[in-house]
Amino acid sequence: MLILSPSILSADFANLGRDVAKTAAAGAEYIHIDVMDGQFVPNISFGIPVIKAIRPVTDKVFDVHLMIDEPVRFIKEFVDAGADMITVHAEACKHLHRTVQVIKSYGIKAGVVLNPATPLSAVEEILPEVDMVLLMSVNPGFGGQKYIETTTDKVRRLRRMISERNLSVDIEVDGGVTPDNVAMLIEAGANIFVAGSAVYKGSVEENVKGFLEVFKKYE
């Protein structure tokens, strides 16, 4: 299944609940929530109180991407706030396997994120334990960046790695994804797509529709 996960980092913060509701009504299945701590990435976004505040707005999947050092410290709080899926960076965890186990112990999905320069070998041992691998196609920390072209081949190699092991693992791509390049990523093997500026710049409804029209060609 092909899934759009709009990143609310690019939404109107003064009207965040409204934008989340608009995104859900337009047909996006996931809501991507980028949590930044100013340490792992050079920016601070929002945290647990904001997630709690927007949780009543929709029953769509909250896809919570933790760009924070040692995220294992806060897993319970994010689950309590309403996360349906938590992804953590391999680069930010001293004990990645333990962190994934903690996430799954709460009955939600667990994913691992790799930065553009991090090789796929970083998830080789954890792959059977996760529900999703998120490949960053920009360097994390800021919205509106240009897609890093080498990500496409990385997606292709990851899909092959998953298939060779007969695993059921989603591949999510985050950064510079637009209706113009999403077909290329689908063909490479990705099935969940994070889009920020491409959804929230202009009409949310029209932008979501643009992605979903591309998806229909592959379903």
Side-chain angles (χ1 to χ4, degrees):
M1 185 179 177
L2 301 176
I3 293 170
L4 182 63
S5 187
S7 170
I8 61 171
L9 190 65
S10 297
D12 177 359
F13 281 15
N15 296 282
L16 194 52
R18 179 205 66 190
D19 274 10
V20 169
K22 267 209 273 188
T23 307
E29 291 299 323
Y30 286 8
I31 302 295
H32 191 82
I33 302 172
D34 289 305
V35 179
M36 305 179 186
D37 65 355
Q39 294 292 320
F40 179 67
V41 290
N43 201 0
I44 295 172
S45 58
F46 40 67
I48 292 155
V50 171
I51 298 172
K52 277 184 181 174
I54 60 172
R55 181 68 276 188
V57 172
T58 179
D59 60 359
K60 297 290 187 180
V61 171
F62 273 16
D63 170 17
V64 178
H65 175 191
L66 299 184
M67 288 179 256
I68 65 178
D69 280 326
E70 283 304 314
V72 71
R73 297 172 294 156
F74 303 106
I75 300 302
K76 183 181 185 300
E77 288 82 355
F78 281 105
V79 173
D80 290 345
D84 297 296
M85 172 191 304
I86 292 177
T87 52
V88 296
H89 277 259
E91 307 89 354
C93 300
K94 284 180 186 171
H95 304 289
L96 182 58
H97 191 276
R98 180 183 299 156
T99 304
V100 167
Q101 283 181 316
V102 170
I103 296 169
K104 296 191 87 168
S105 75
Y106 289 102
I108 69 167
K109 290 185 174 182
V112 173
V113 193
L114 298 181
N115 281 337
T118 303
L120 292 177
S121 57
V123 293
E124 196 171 348
E125 302 301 328
I126 198 72
L127 204 53
E129 308 297 324
V130 300
D131 300 289
M132 180 174 78
V133 176
L134 167 52
L135 297 180
M136 293 301 300
S137 43
V138 298
N139 288 293
F142 300 94
Q145 297 181 66
K146 190 179 175 186
Y147 177 80
I148 295 172
E149 297 294 335
T150 53
T151 309
T152 311
D153 184 58
K154 197 174 185 181
V155 170
R156 199 173 287 116
R157 288 183 286 118
L158 176 58
R159 179 52 69 194
R160 190 161 56 239
M161 187 188 294
I162 292 166
S163 298
E164 285 170 355
R165 296 181 180 202
N166 293 313
L167 298 172
S168 178
V169 178
D170 291 320
I171 298 177
E172 184 172 42
V173 180
D174 181 357
V177 178
T178 70
D180 295 327
N181 64 15
V182 74
M184 170 183 70
L185 289 166
I186 293 168
E187 289 168 7
N191 65 300
I192 303 177
F193 307 93
V194 179
S197 307
V199 168
Y200 291 107
K201 191 174 180 182
S203 166
V204 170
E205 293 83 359
E206 286 302 311
N207 291 335
V208 169
K209 183 181 173 186
F211 277 101
L212 298 183
E213 283 176 353
V214 177
F215 291 177
K216 280 177 191 172
K217 295 174 186 175
Y218 291 89
E219 291 179 330

